[in-house]
Structures are given as structure tokens and as C-alpha cells.
Amino acid sequence: ILSSAKFAKKYKGPQENLPQERVEEVTTLMLAALERSLGLEEGTIHEGTVKDSRLQLWGAAVPLNVWSPTGTDINSNNSGFMYDAEHSVGACGDWLLDPSIAGAWESGRRLANWMSSGLEQDGTPIDAVSVGLPSLGGEFKQSTTAAGSGIGNVR
């Protein structure tokens, strides 16, 4: 469930150490809002019906810069995420593609596709190919999304 910016600002708390009372309060409010939006009776969605939950209050949303890999063979199949073949670990997030919820989702989708495809790139198994890592070239560039929104402008 994603909140509005107005809701997030009102209930903002410390990023890494949210008090349990705040977690419970915000979770209850968000579940109640979901019930209303779905036309369900109050209390239909409760702790016992939720399989998994993690509350994240995004104080650091909309990064001003995004990672941009370099190379001649960069495309949507091998960009927007990082994958380290040596350690079999990947990273995804809006800071690797586009500073938005959609950017974070798309980055995760691309990484999952890369890791699960099993396809070969130039005859090499895909899980043996690292992509997007700083050691392979790239740099942080100003996000055009953030720049166009006025976020972070000091004028």
C-alpha cells in the first residue's frame, strides 16, 4: 500500500528506528484506508489476514542523482540494476533507473529477469556476467525527473 505525499509528511518518523507505536498507528490507518477504497467493512483487513508487512517511511525518496552505466552494449535487458557475478548478488532501486515508485519496481523487475533468465550473452551463461557495477564504468548523473520537479533546487 502506498500513501499520498500529504499522509507521508504528516506521519513521518525516524528512518531507521521507527517507534513500534508509530508503526502500528500508520499500519492501522493505511489498512483502514485500503478497506474504504475497496468498499470493505471496517476491520475486514487486520493483522491476522495480512501475510507480510513492512512499514517504510520514505524520507529519502526521489534521489537527485541516478547511476548511469557506460558501454556500447547497454540496453533495457542489462541496465537499471547491478549484478555481481562473482558473488551472485544484485542490487536494484530507483537510484539505478528513475527516481520514482515505477523506477524502483522496474529496476527490481529487470534484475529478477536477469537473474532468472538463464540465457547466454555472447556464449557466456548470464549468471556469469556482471552488469552495472562501478568497476565496469559508469557515473552518477543528475536525475532529469528530480531536476524537472524542482526537488533539491536551492534558489
Side-chain angles (χ1 to χ4, degrees):
I1 306 171
L2 302 171
S3 76
S4 67
K6 183 178 177 181
F7 181 93
K9 185 175 182 178
K10 181 176 180 180
Y11 293 99
K12 186 173 175 14
Q15 275 295 97
E16 302 303 326
N17 190 20
L18 286 170
Q20 189 57 35
E21 304 81 40
R22 176 59 52 102
V23 172
E24 291 171 7
E25 175 189 24
V26 171
T27 300
T28 299
L29 290 169
M30 301 245 343
L31 290 176
L34 178 61
E35 288 172 335
R36 287 190 304 276
S37 71
L38 296 174
L40 299 174
E41 290 184 30
E42 186 177 331
T44 302
I45 303 173
H46 53 79
E47 192 175 316
T49 60
V50 176
K51 300 291 184 203
D52 190 28
S53 164
R54 181 177 189 302
L55 180 65
Q56 176 68 49
L57 301 176
W58 290 94
V62 190
L64 299 178
N65 300 298
V66 293
W67 180 253
S68 180
T70 58
T72 57
D73 196 25
I74 304 299
N75 59 57
S76 64
N77 293 323
N78 66 5
S79 65
F81 62 92
M82 292 182 178
Y83 181 74
D84 184 336
E86 178 182 353
H87 301 286
S88 299
V89 66
C92 59
D94 61 345
W95 62 279
L96 289 164
L97 190 60
D98 179 59
S100 64
I101 293 167
W105 181 87
E106 177 64 15
S107 175
R109 188 190 68 77
R110 288 182 186 188
L111 174 60
N113 285 345
W114 177 268
M115 293 176 73
S116 66
S117 71
L119 300 175
E120 295 188 356
Q121 179 173 319
D122 301 327
T124 305
I126 208 83
D127 61 357
V129 178
S130 293
V131 294
L133 300 176
S135 62
L136 299 174
E139 63 184 341
F140 279 102
K141 293 186 177 179
Q142 183 179 21
S143 162
T144 54
T145 303
S149 71
I151 295 171
N153 292 346
V154 186
R155 291 189 182 159

